[in-house]
Amino acid sequence: MNDEQENRLVTMKDNQVKNILASLAIAAVGCLAYWAYDAQVRVDEYNAKVNSLTETISGISAKQSADQESNLKDLEENKIVEDKVKALEATVQSQQVAIDELTAKLSRKKK
């Protein structure tokens, strides 16, 4: 083999190596792009789940706030009713005392 043929062979082998390296680089970039895409898909799915949970928690919090407000209103109404019952009990008791006094007076007059 002469020098020119040897140079051509070396040049061909260099070109083959360059082509293989270029193919490997393209494959590596493709893998990286796929991994980046896959990671982004997973992040998007995670974010969707987080957003869904956040909405659920917000809904539960709103429901709890409404329930607490309703319970507080019920407690206030119960307190008002309780106060009215106490007032009515006091009225009944004072009327019972008056009835007892009148009954005693009538008993004395009959004797």
Side-chain angles (χ1 to χ4, degrees):
M1 205 185 273
N2 66 22
D3 284 342
E4 187 178 321
Q5 287 177 335
E6 198 172 303
N7 284 342
R8 278 190 203 161
L9 187 59
V10 168
T11 302
M12 282 176 45
K13 286 185 180 182
D14 280 348
N15 286 339
Q16 284 179 341
V17 168
K18 287 178 185 176
N19 287 338
I20 290 172
L21 289 175
S23 295
L24 287 174
I26 290 170
V29 168
C31 285
L32 289 174
Y34 173 76
W35 290 336
Y37 170 78
D38 186 54
Q40 185 60 49
V41 167
R42 290 174 192 241
V43 166
D44 290 345
E45 289 172 353
Y46 174 79
N47 285 338
K49 288 178 184 178
V50 168
N51 289 339
S52 175
L53 288 173
T54 301
E55 288 175 14
T56 301
I57 289 169
S58 294
I60 290 170
S61 295
K63 173 94 171 75
Q64 285 178 337
S65 293
D67 288 349
Q68 285 176 345
E69 196 172 309
S70 175
N71 289 343
L72 182 60
K73 187 176 179 182
D74 289 346
L75 286 173
E76 290 170 353
E77 289 174 0
N78 288 346
K79 176 71 173 133
I80 291 169
V81 169
E82 188 177 304
D83 290 345
K84 287 180 181 179
V85 167
K86 285 180 183 178
L88 288 172
E89 286 175 343
T91 302
V92 167
Q93 189 175 16
S94 67
Q95 288 176 347
Q96 186 62 46
V97 168
I99 290 170
D100 291 344
E101 288 175 356
L102 288 173
T103 303
K105 282 183 184 178
L106 284 173
S107 294
R108 281 187 229 137
K109 283 188 179 181
K110 285 185 181 180
K111 289 183 181 180

